Amino acid sequence: MNTEQVRVRFAPSPTGDFHVGGARTALFNYLFAHHHSGKFILRIEDTDQKRFNPDAMGWLTNGLSYLGLDWDEGPGKGGEFGPYVQSERLNIYNEHIQILLDKGFAYRCFCTPERLEQVREEHKANKVDIGYDRHCRNLSNDESIKRAEAGEAFTVRIKLPLDGNTTVTDAIRGDIVFDYGRLQDSVLIKADGIPTYHFANVVDDHLMKISHIMRGDEWVNSLPLHMYLYQCFGWEPPILAHLPIILNPSGKGKMSKRAQRAPDGSEYPVFVRQFEGAGYLSDALVNFMALLGWSFDDKTEEMTRDELIQRFSLDRISSSPAAWNYEKLNAMNGDYLRQLPNEDLVSRIEPFLTSAGFDYTQDRLLKLIPLVKERMTTLSDSVNQLDIFLVEDLKPYDVTLLLPKKTTAGETASLLKAVHPALEISEFTQEKIEEMLRRLVSELDVKAGQLFQPIRVAVCGRKAAPPLFETLEALGKTWSLNRIGNAITLLES
RNA sequence: GGCCCGUUCGUCUAGUGGUUAGGACUCCAGGUUUUCAUCCUGGCAACAGGAGUUCGAUUCUCCUACGGGCUACCA
């Protein structure tokens, strides 16, 4: 184990939306850094100009701050190893590629994309494994320089050993052996002068004194190339840990980067901002993601951020992929939500109520929140839970909801008519309401449910609702009686 | 196709050379209850298959199957 300061990085490329797969990688890096009182560095790998997306940076930083994954060094934060955006480090890569060229560890390749494509196809047809035929590998130094100076376009490729093998060590998977004979002379610098990921990442990780690399599983195959680069430079490589990927809920295939549709047509969130927009608490999301590929013991599931930091360790990361489970996330989010103090919960639902166009005061919400708290799984549920309290007119509902089994509209209407005078009380409180309605039940000689259900539907417009007496009090006498009146009209029409 | 990684209830996972293989989500049943939900109790449910090593393998090794990843002048 490296005894130097722990320095880890999250190094996304700004090509698209901030996906939960990336978020989980960022989280593990963050937890590891904080566990070791080290540094969590954000580095932007924008070496692909074609796929650059100008919105990506905002999605990323907003997402990280929603998740509470603050970085110690990186864009907007600075740090002594900057710049932290790769497109601003081109001179550094130029210097370093020159070292490799001078030492003969890399060579210029003048092959055109067309020729490469053709070679690849031929090789494919002949079932040859390797795409590139190393056509330019043995060009003389003189010719190479001459052609470059003449302005001919070129890439720079690594000159990998032609045979033998190499053993690389992964902190999660152990030793992995690769045959050099099956590897390609990958491109290090593209024809536009910009490095590929492989080259930039090695140079930057070394220069930024990264102690541990925790990244997605999809990089294990490029391990021998990266390790060989460290060797060429004579640098000591960081400790590597390849994280298991996140699978779709079905367990089939990598977690999609396209918005998924549920069987009922609704959309599953897959991007961080979609989870935020759907009203997931970041603490719950973080807790849930921490458990995807990592565990503390055989029973501990809910952990605060500090506990996560305190308990996180590399050796409890699993090597097998994990499927994303929305039900479990929902259950966890509901738990977190219920544990929130009412004041806190109120301030978190406000943005959702505002964008739904509701009028409210904080005091009002504070009174209402206990009624709906245990019926919510996400913050956005507050909208369709609280609408009946915040909007005077009920949405139209099916009249049959008003009718308990085996009762007619006429019977129910007359029951509701009896409710009206019973609730003409000056003190419109839960206790008084209950007293009056229970008395009414025995006077009318009906079962409690026979009376309560129609009232509930009359005032809520639906069968599933918070407890009746509290609901009536929260609604107030005027709204309650008006709605009961409306129900009677509905029954008699 | 080649290379690499992986495989414990449906899902996330714990675990050990000898355990009634544990927990959580889901689901089911019951309780609380005026509905829904919460909450409580209980239940269903797993070591992919085959060889080997061993007194004994879910655990160690190999093979097969299956799943996944990579195979670009993308990351």
Side-chain angles (χ1 to χ4, degrees):
Chain A
M1 190 68 151
N2 198 328
T3 52
E4 306 260 306
Q5 190 193 32
V6 165
R7 293 175 55 81
V8 295
R9 69 351 185 240
F10 175 52
S13 47
T15 51
D17 216 327
F18 187 29
H19 186 248
V20 286
R24 203 276 313 256
T25 301
L27 173 63
F28 278 25
N29 276 283
Y30 169 93
L31 293 175
F32 186 75
H34 282 259
H35 178 86
H36 292 283
S37 309
K39 294 272 190 276
F40 175 56
I41 294 144
L42 177 64
R43 185 172 74 218
I44 304 302
E45 310 220 325
D46 57 344
T47 53
D48 187 345
Q49 297 186 312
K50 296 183 197 89
R51 294 199 305 156
F52 179 80
N53 183 326
D55 292 326
M57 197 61 197
W59 288 332
L60 206 224
T61 54
N62 288 341
L64 287 173
S65 78
Y66 157 66
L67 293 171
L69 305 182
D70 299 324
W71 56 100
D72 303 302
E73 292 173 25
K77 277 269 160 58
E80 54 178 311
F81 300 93
Y84 293 90
V85 176
Q86 289 186 329
S87 60
E88 295 168 16
R89 300 171 61 82
L90 263 23
N91 56 329
I92 297 173
Y93 308 124
N94 282 335
E95 278 170 33
H96 285 83
I97 199 66
Q98 196 55 49
I99 296 172
L100 257 28
L101 246 13
D102 290 345
K103 289 185 172 174
F105 288 129
Y107 61 92
R108 295 185 190 82
C109 170
F110 298 92
C111 296
T112 61
E114 293 72 30
R115 193 189 98 83
L116 293 174
E117 180 59 26
Q118 194 187 331
V119 170
R120 227 185 336 265
E121 267 170 38
E122 278 170 26
H123 283 187
K124 212 173 170 183
N126 299 326
K127 296 193 173 168
V128 175
D129 299 344
I130 294 149
Y132 176 56
D133 59 1
R134 294 177 159 137
H135 183 253
C136 300
R137 182 173 166 118
N138 295 314
L139 248 36
S140 74
N141 201 29
D142 284 352
E143 183 181 354
S144 174
I145 290 173
K146 200 176 291 173
R147 286 171 72 174
E149 280 174 354
E152 198 173 335
F154 65 90
T155 63
V156 179
R157 289 180 183 268
I158 184 76
K159 189 184 262 184
L160 237 35
L162 296 173
D163 48 36
N165 60 47
T166 180
T167 302
V168 297
T169 303
D170 180 275
I172 295 170
R173 278 151 234 278
D175 287 353
I176 307 171
V177 182
F178 292 91
D179 287 334
Y180 278 126
R182 297 192 180 281
L183 300 173
Q184 308 219 26
D185 284 352
S186 301
V187 170
L188 265 20
I189 302 285
K190 298 178 270 186
D192 58 8
I194 296 174
T196 59
Y197 168 82
H198 301 297
F199 189 61
N201 128 314
V202 166
V203 170
D204 287 349
D205 285 340
H206 176 259
L207 261 24
M208 294 180 182
K209 292 191 165 24
I210 299 301
S211 63
H212 298 71
I213 297 177
M214 268 178 270
R215 83 236 281 200
D217 189 62
E218 66 268 27
W219 295 108
V220 298
N221 280 295
S222 43
L223 259 174
L225 168 62
H226 298 170
M227 290 302 111
Y228 189 68
L229 283 167
Y230 282 100
Q231 215 174 300
C232 293
F233 281 116
W235 295 337
E236 170 145 2
I239 291 168
L240 287 129
H242 287 89
L243 273 17
I245 58 161
I246 297 176
L247 269 21
N248 278 318
S250 62
K252 305 251 177 208
K254 191 153 96 164
M255 180 83 171
S256 176
K257 289 193 178 167
R258 305 223 167 127
Q260 295 285 287
R261 287 207 174 273
D264 68 2
S266 61
E267 228 173 49
Y268 286 129
V270 295
F271 300 122
V272 172
R273 65 195 172 95
Q274 292 175 320
F275 284 91
E276 183 179 13
Y280 287 92
L281 300 172
S282 69
D283 284 344
L285 224 207
V286 160
N287 195 156
F288 173 76
M289 288 195 298
L291 261 14
L292 242 36
W294 175 83
S295 64
F296 174 60
D297 61 13
D298 59 337
K299 35 182 75 74
T300 314
E301 296 227 310
E302 288 194 7
M303 286 172 267
T304 63
R305 197 168 294 247
D306 284 344
E307 287 168 334
L308 248 19
I309 288 170
Q310 202 174 75
R311 296 168 179 177
F312 189 81
S313 72
L314 225 46
D315 55 20
R316 292 199 64 87
I317 295 178
S318 141
S319 53
S320 49
W324 188 273
N325 184 340
Y326 287 97
E327 275 105 30
K328 185 149 184 169
L329 204 215
N330 285 342
M332 195 172 260
N333 201 66
D335 279 345
Y336 267 81
L337 214 109
R338 261 164 254 125
Q339 288 166 24
L340 240 37
N342 290 342
E343 293 74 17
D344 198 349
L345 186 51
V346 162
S347 68
R348 287 168 192 263
I349 63 174
E350 282 187 62
F352 291 88
L353 299 177
T354 303
S355 63
F358 293 166
D359 281 330
Y360 57 84
T361 62
Q362 283 212 345
D363 277 354
R364 179 90 176 114
L365 294 185
L366 223 37
K367 290 205 178 78
L368 294 175
I369 204 73
L371 301 195
V372 297
K373 198 174 181 178
E374 61 205 25
R375 270 157 271 261
M376 293 166 56
T377 61
T378 64
L379 297 172
S380 62
D381 287 339
S382 59
V383 172
N384 41 44
Q385 292 282 347
L386 290 175
D387 57 350
I388 56 172
F389 298 102
L390 301 176
V391 181
E392 181 158 11
D393 292 324
L394 245 29
K395 286 184 201 141
Y397 57 92
D398 188 343
V399 65
T400 60
L401 292 178
L402 285 164
L403 306 175
K405 274 176 193 160
K406 295 180 191 167
T407 54
T408 65
E411 288 164 354
T412 302
S414 57
L415 281 181
L416 288 180
K417 280 178 185 166
V419 170
H420 223 103
L423 289 183
E424 278 298 350
I425 45 179
S426 51
E427 224 182 304
F428 202 73
T429 62
Q430 182 188 329
E431 293 77 17
K432 291 286 177 198
I433 293 166
E434 175 160 11
E435 191 187 324
M436 299 309 286
L437 290 181
R438 292 217 185 268
R439 188 182 301 168
L440 188 60
V441 164
S442 62
E443 277 170 15
L444 296 172
D445 194 27
V446 292
K447 283 185 188 154
Q450 259 181 297
L451 180 64
F452 294 165
Q453 187 194 318
I455 302 176
R456 177 178 299 108
V457 173
V459 298
C460 298
R462 52 184 177 242
K463 279 185 170 179
L468 184 57
F469 313 123
E470 293 161 61
T471 302
L472 288 167
E473 179 183 330
L475 244 22
K477 186 153 81 175
T478 311
W479 282 22
S480 295
L481 293 181
N482 283 349
R483 287 180 184 181
I484 291 170
N486 291 343
I488 294 169
T489 311
L490 194 61
L491 284 165
E492 291 180 336
S493 63

